Amino acid sequence: DDMQAPPSDQAVGTEEAPANEVKGHNQLLNEFHVSLMQDPLFVEVLQATGGQAAGGENKILDFMKLALAGSEQLTTMKQSEEDWEAALENPVDVPALEGCVMAASTEALDAAIGSMGLLLGACASALRTSQPAKVCRALQVLCIVLRGMQWKSVSFLSFLKAVGGESRGEQYTRMVVGDITRVLTNEVKSAFCITLALKFLNVLVTAAHGGPFGTKVGQWLKEGGVIAALKTAVGKSRRFRHCLSLDAVVLTVVVGLSAPASPAPTKDPLEDPEDMKAMLEATDVLCNVAVQRLLEATHRKTLAVEGFLTNKKIVPHDAKDLKTLLSADGGPIHGSQLCYVAACCLALYYLGVYHTRPYLLAFQARKKQKDGAPEPEPAGRELAPDGFDGMPTVFASSVTLLSLLLDAPQADTVHYAKLVLLSILPLVEDQEFLPTICVPKLGGYSIFSRKAEPDQFGLFLKVEENRAPLAVLMQILLNFMSSNLKLALEVDLYSVVLRIVHRILCYYKNCTAGEEMAFDWKDLVMVTLRLVAYLSREAVWKAAEPAAINDLALQAAAILNLFLVHGNSILQGPEGYPLVCYELGRVGANKVFKKLLDLSSAEGNASPLQEELRQLMSAADHINAVVESWLNETKPLSPTREDVLAVVASAQLSLSLPNRQDLLNFENFVEDNASSTLARGRGDVLVALFCKFIHVFPPRPEQQQQQQAAPAKS
């Protein structure tokens, strides 16, 4: 239910869609629910009442009760691994087993795990069988044990010791992980078996995460081929990537970010663009849920309606403020809802930074055969559908998400916004990608707007129709730059935004022959000048780290110099370049560049920023001198803006400017320590949230009440 899409995508029934129609998210979700209810292994869990499960004896439950109670009768139940494997022939009473584990104390569970070696060994053996029932029951036992350790804060070392110590425990875990990957990649008819295999891997990761074995377990999973197995499972079934997207994406991100890079070069498990598109489709599902959660959270205080389950208006018409979005001090969005925001942003970052080339290729239109007909789908795999613009639908969804995150960002919102921006950097650095987003598209992109009229669901999303995706993206970036000039400046966000802008300008200079820009460059010039003027205030330098302000000012000044030096070749219209010179002269007349130069020279050391500012000052002084001379000679009564622009147009001809090719060069983004620390820190937050709210089995009503009443763990 948490994955339910807005009513506009609601499918009726579970009939097969026509061959030429792409199934909607809700239709896939309904089909998945039906397949579970028709799965006898899932029904077996539902029929367990917490007393006597259907099918016979409950040796595992009896053993667990005695072990947790520390009973002396435990010695009479000592059996071989084969005996325990035979016990898995009968259904596991999941509610009763889970209940007694959750009711035990930390000390009792820790001691009980030490006597489970044979049982855990039998579970591992059962995973290697070809019987889905035994595989499912073994996974149920393993999930319950690890989930109990998680909730009771039992060290993962106790689990390793139970199967023979650290060395043997590592071998055991690697063997189990290998068996699970086979369950995910093989053609298994049981939807519940595949679901439970994925849940187990998530429980394993979250049980060890944060402790001394967290990184090791991540490495074991990575070397065990978990990401490659997920790629196969996600790629072959749209139902899988729509209905288990949170579990699949969280596991991919946590394993990918927690495990250090392999010393030997390995094959990228996501090198196929179609595999990447499938993973991006799963990310798109999370992105849509994240957007809906953020919009709902805007005014959760006044309206606590869950928008996915109702067609009512979920944001009041007078909604104005997003400042408390994701705030650390009891902000309106929290708990399981934040999982979607964190998972989506981390997935975009991980796929864009760690798998850059296939990520870029996934955004190119699907290849066509020579006759123009689409290539047939590979056997055993459902291809991800493209959006209305020929790119993965996640691009449009991420644009909407970014518009929300960059609206008055603070606290955690800043971190997630930076992750999304960093995921865009590899895209705009590619000369083959940018042309695809510079052309106006049919359809529209939805972005958050305070001035928009609420849509049919009461959400403040403005649809930008028939505009180039680049224009919409630039609109979001410029809105952020102009609306968030404050003393506590978000320097990191501004820095990434300016890097994106610089790459786009370099593309227009290096790769287009005077092509008209897809966005309003005048707004860019004005907003950049406003930023430079703001950075010329002494209070800004005192409120932040001077080195960070210096770097930000350098980026902004370099963009202005790019317009100054190369503007004639990239700006269209007779007023294009003269307007840039006019605005530079206007700002220079107010001593903005001089003030910023003085502040940057306070340390007494020469810097690249000073060179950029001196060039801007020289050009501004020259333009102002020509205009002042014209005013003195002609003495016009009321000179119009057009008159001044004409004078500036003549003044630009005598400007002495160096041919600076350095302004058109940049280094491609490579993850640095700061970005790596940010991503892994957000990954820790995601795991802390996910391990609290993950549902392995269908929750019972009393269990839901206990979870809602339980205080949140830090």
Side-chain angles (χ1 to χ4, degrees), residues 52 98 426 464 583 630 650 667:
Q52 180 71 23
E98 192 175 30
E464 300 290 345
E583 293 297 339
W630 172 75
S650 63
E667 294 183 2

Side-chain angles (χ1 to χ4, degrees), residues 151 306 334 336 692-693 695 699-712:
W151 274 84
E306 293 297 333
H334 55 81
S336 61
K692 178 176 175 58
F693 294 98
H695 291 296
R700 303 183 305 279
E702 64 273 15
Q703 186 180 9
Q704 288 181 321
Q705 294 174 2
Q706 291 173 1
Q707 288 187 354
Q708 293 171 359

Side-chain angles (χ1 to χ4, degrees), residues 141-160:
V141 173
L142 290 171
C143 283
I144 290 172
V145 171
L146 287 172
R147 190 79 171 124
M149 291 172 55
Q150 200 177 72
W151 274 84
K152 301 299 179 180
S153 301
V154 175
S155 171
F156 190 72
L157 180 60
S158 298
F159 181 81
L160 298 179

Side-chain angles (χ1 to χ4, degrees), residues 47-54 56 58 61-62 65 93 95-97:
Q47 290 178 342
T49 61
Q52 180 71 23
N58 282 298
L61 177 59
D62 294 339
K65 289 180 178 178
D93 194 340
L97 189 61

